[in-house]
Amino acid sequence: MKSPIRKAVLLVGGKGTRLRPLTLERPKALVPLLNQPLLSYELSLLARHGITDVILAVGYRADALKAALGDGSAWNVRLTYVEDPSPLGTAGALKNVESLIDGPFVAMNGDLVYDVDLGSVTRAHIESGATITFCLRRVEDIRRFGLIQCDDNGRVLAFKEKQEVDETRRNTVNSGLYVMSPDVPAQIPPGREFSNETQLFPGLLEAGHPLFGFVPPHQGYWADVGTLESYLQTSRDLLGSAIPWVRGSIAASADISPEASIHPPVCIGDDVNIAAGSVIGPNVAISRGCRIENGSRIRNAILWEDAQIQAGCELADTVVGARSTTPEGSRHVGEVIVQ
Ligand code: GDD
Ligand code: MG
């Protein structure tokens, strides 16, 4: 369903600490997933719902983001970059874009892979007259997320960030996607670090603002790509067609020896070279320019651009950074290799 709201703000200024050392080289929003930058999945979701005016609240490695995403036309959106002068936190970054806000807007954490009907979420926001509508997700393990407890009408009762258990057993967590009324940035103090989760949201609740949780009736795949484990898991899920409009592919320019075996699902980028005797897959994404030498075995792995796997290596549950090399005959399980 098309969204009646056309503007979004994406929070992409975090340091991606839990994905280090991969995020020393590039911001989390640019880590490759099926050979596309992580943020491209949010941009595509927004474009699919007609939300084409997209503000990126950037900070850490802003230049890399601008270089990779440009004006956004590759994803059918129009990007505007606004940079935190110093890390402003999730709410401070919203304050920093205040001058560009002229109506209700979608706000999203910038590390999500989400397939959701944004039209239903933005319509629910307009109908309820909420100050903020929180798109909620039911999960089994709430520990990595913000618990949001609501009454039977969806009105928010409490925010409890990163708890062990939900005593109500509803387990509805903050998906990282919100619809906000245009007066929200005015509630945030200027020029200093301020958090949505621990300051803005509880403060608005305390002040009596109408805050509503919304569990979309048709929710598809959702992942927060915050850790190595969730990064590898999301790659596996997408390769396994968790989102119907996302597909891995094998580039026509890839040079794959007829004596290599490929076990789908895999995604293989441009100019990749795979030598004889290699066994690739399942669940492997290989970015452009990688070289896999004779007799290597790779499963559940992500290779960034121009990585080189020397002969006879074995890789599982592993990420190899851009231009990194694994020495001949080496074995890597559950590793991040960055050189
Ligand atoms: N511009 C800017 N400036 N962006 C920031 C800053 C900042 O100072 N700090 C963090 N961000 C961005 C990150 O880049 C990320 O995209 C987003 O804000 C959320 O930060 P995370 O560090 O990924 O938060 P989290 O995963 O621990 O928890 C958040 O997301 C969960 C759902 O994915 C919370 O919102 C939880 O309540 C929520 O459940
Ligand atoms: Mg996150």
Side-chain angles (χ1 to χ4, degrees):
M1 195 192 293
K2 287 280 179 217
S3 165
I5 292 172
R6 296 296 170 88
K7 189 169 276 193
V9 181
L10 308 185
L11 299 169
V12 287
K15 294 200 178 86
T17 323
R18 288 164 296 172
L19 269 177
R20 279 185 191 157
L22 291 166
T23 44
L24 294 174
E25 184 185 330
R26 63 184 82 172
K28 182 161 64 168
L30 295 183
V31 303
L33 258 177
L34 273 53
N35 302 348
Q36 297 294 325
L38 167 56
L39 198 69
S40 70
Y41 297 94
E42 286 190 17
L43 300 179
S44 300
L45 176 78
L46 292 165
R48 292 171 72 83
H49 293 90
I51 304 175
T52 50
D53 188 359
V54 181
I55 300 162
L56 298 188
V58 298
Y60 178 69
R61 299 262 161 174
D63 289 350
L65 273 160
K66 288 178 197 164
L69 304 174
D71 64 2
S73 51
W75 293 277
N76 300 316
V77 295
R78 194 166 55 84
L79 292 178
T80 306
Y81 297 83
V82 180
E83 192 165 342
D84 292 3
S86 59
L88 291 172
T90 44
L94 291 178
K95 180 71 179 175
N96 199 39
V97 306
E98 187 173 14
S99 64
L100 300 176
I101 300 302
D102 49 8
F105 60 100
V106 172
M108 261 177 116
N109 290 344
D111 59 349
L112 306 175
V113 177
Y114 203 178
D115 183 21
V116 61
D117 177 3
L118 288 174
S120 72
V121 188
T122 53
R123 268 167 224 274
H125 177 80
I126 291 167
E127 279 162 23
S128 73
T131 299
I132 303 180
T133 301
F134 296 84
C135 189
L136 300 182
R137 191 79 194 180
R138 287 213 170 85
V139 295
E140 235 162 73
D141 183 358
I142 65 170
R143 287 174 298 176
R144 279 178 49 218
F145 308 112
L147 177 64
I148 301 186
Q149 295 174 321
C150 301
D151 69 13
D152 290 340
N153 299 317
R155 185 139 183 170
V156 175
L157 299 172
F159 295 98
K160 298 179 179 174
E161 194 67 18
K162 319 259 160 81
Q163 300 284 303
E164 288 291 312
V165 285
D166 175 10
E167 68 282 0
T168 71
R169 294 173 177 272
R170 288 194 176 169
N171 283 23
T172 43
V173 300
N174 174 8
S175 69
L177 169 64
Y178 324 101
V179 191
M180 299 192 176
S181 73
D183 53 335
V184 168
Q187 316 290 323
I188 302 167
R192 69 177 172 98
E193 201 170 341
F194 209 68
S195 159
N196 278 334
E197 295 80 357
T198 60
Q199 294 174 288
L200 177 69
F201 301 156
L204 292 175
L205 185 65
E206 184 80 32
H209 281 268
L211 306 179
F212 281 92
F214 179 73
V215 182
H218 304 291
Q219 290 218 62
Y221 185 74
W222 174 74
D224 165 318
V225 182
T227 61
L228 180 65
E229 197 189 358
S230 64
Y231 179 34
L232 284 164
Q233 181 66 50
T234 306
S235 179
R236 269 201 296 281
D237 293 341
L238 293 182
L239 284 166
S241 304
I243 298 186
W245 45 271
V246 174
R247 287 262 175 275
S249 60
I250 299 183
S253 61
D255 178 8
I256 303 174
S257 161
E259 285 148 59
S261 6
I262 306 291
H263 298 282
V266 296
C267 177
I268 300 178
D270 282 321
D271 303 317
V272 166
N273 189 292
I274 300 177
S278 294
V279 181
I280 310 294
N283 302 316
V284 173
I286 305 179
S287 303
R288 90 179 119 69
C290 289
R291 286 183 63 83
I292 321 286
E293 295 181 358
N294 293 350
S296 284
R297 304 174 78 87
I298 307 180
R299 65 184 161 82
N300 287 334
I302 304 172
L303 274 54
W304 291 19
E305 305 80 20
D306 301 308
Q308 192 173 349
I309 309 303
Q310 293 190 342
C313 288
E314 197 177 324
L315 270 73
D317 307 313
T318 286
V319 180
V320 185
R323 301 172 301 283
S324 301
T325 305
T326 59
E328 193 170 326
S330 56
R331 187 166 179 272
H332 308 270
V333 179
E335 286 182 36
V336 173
I337 299 159
V338 182
Q339 282 145 11

